[in-house]
Amino acid sequence: MARDHSDDIDLNTDGDIEAEATAPTASAPEPDAMRDSAPGNGVSPSDADEGIDADEALGNPGLSVATAIFSIVGVILALFVSWILSIVAGIVAIVLGTMAKRQHAPYPRMITAGRVLGFICVVANTVMAVGYVLYLMKLGIL
């Protein structure tokens, strides 16, 4: 049956014609119990291990990747370039990993690996720097 829309149009005091907006009704969202029991609900095994629902994994995947990248760069810097830059890269990896965990970013194992490598960069290079300073003090240079 076709609906007559002539009653939806009103005449303003300015003489303009204005139509009332009628939006189609949206279907009700699926209950959580039915969605969670359905096969292929979008929950990955790593999310199930962490107790995170697929709807809660709203974080930026770039944070997870950046955490891993900065931690790997920190290790490379420690081996070949500068221990100071390695400490900075390790601190950045730890901060990004913490932000990613708080936002429930995807790839939780990548976040954990990045945070661990960042912590190793900071601790190992700090111990090395302190040892170097103590050695220079022993020699009487400092």
Side-chain angles (χ1 to χ4, degrees), residues 71-87 89 120-122 124-125 128:
S71 63
I72 292 169
V73 165
V75 170
I76 292 170
L77 287 173
L79 294 175
F80 300 110
V81 182
S82 170
W83 58 270
I84 296 172
L85 294 176
S86 176
I87 290 175
I120 289 171
C121 285
V122 171
N125 288 301
M128 185 187 70

Side-chain angles (χ1 to χ4, degrees), residues 46 64 74 78 82 106 134-135 140:
S46 63
S64 304
S82 170
L134 290 175
Y135 179 72

Side-chain angles (χ1 to χ4, degrees), residues 21-43:
T22 55
T25 58
S27 61
E30 191 177 61
D32 287 337
M34 290 174 53
R35 183 186 63 218
D36 290 340
S37 65
N41 60 0
V43 178

Side-chain angles (χ1 to χ4, degrees), residues 15-68:
D16 294 335
I17 296 176
E18 181 179 288
E20 292 180 12
T22 55
T25 58
S27 61
E30 191 177 61
D32 287 337
M34 290 174 53
R35 183 186 63 218
D36 290 340
S37 65
N41 60 0
V43 178
S44 68
S46 63
D47 290 342
D49 294 340
E50 297 291 326
I52 298 173
D53 192 0
D55 294 335
E56 292 178 14
L58 300 175
N60 186 354
L63 286 175
S64 304
V65 174
T67 301

Side-chain angles (χ1 to χ4, degrees), residues 121-141:
C121 285
V122 171
V123 171
N125 288 301
T126 303
V127 168
M128 185 187 70
V130 169
Y132 184 67
V133 169
L134 290 175
Y135 179 72
L136 290 177
M137 289 174 65
K138 181 180 173 183
L139 292 176
I141 297 175

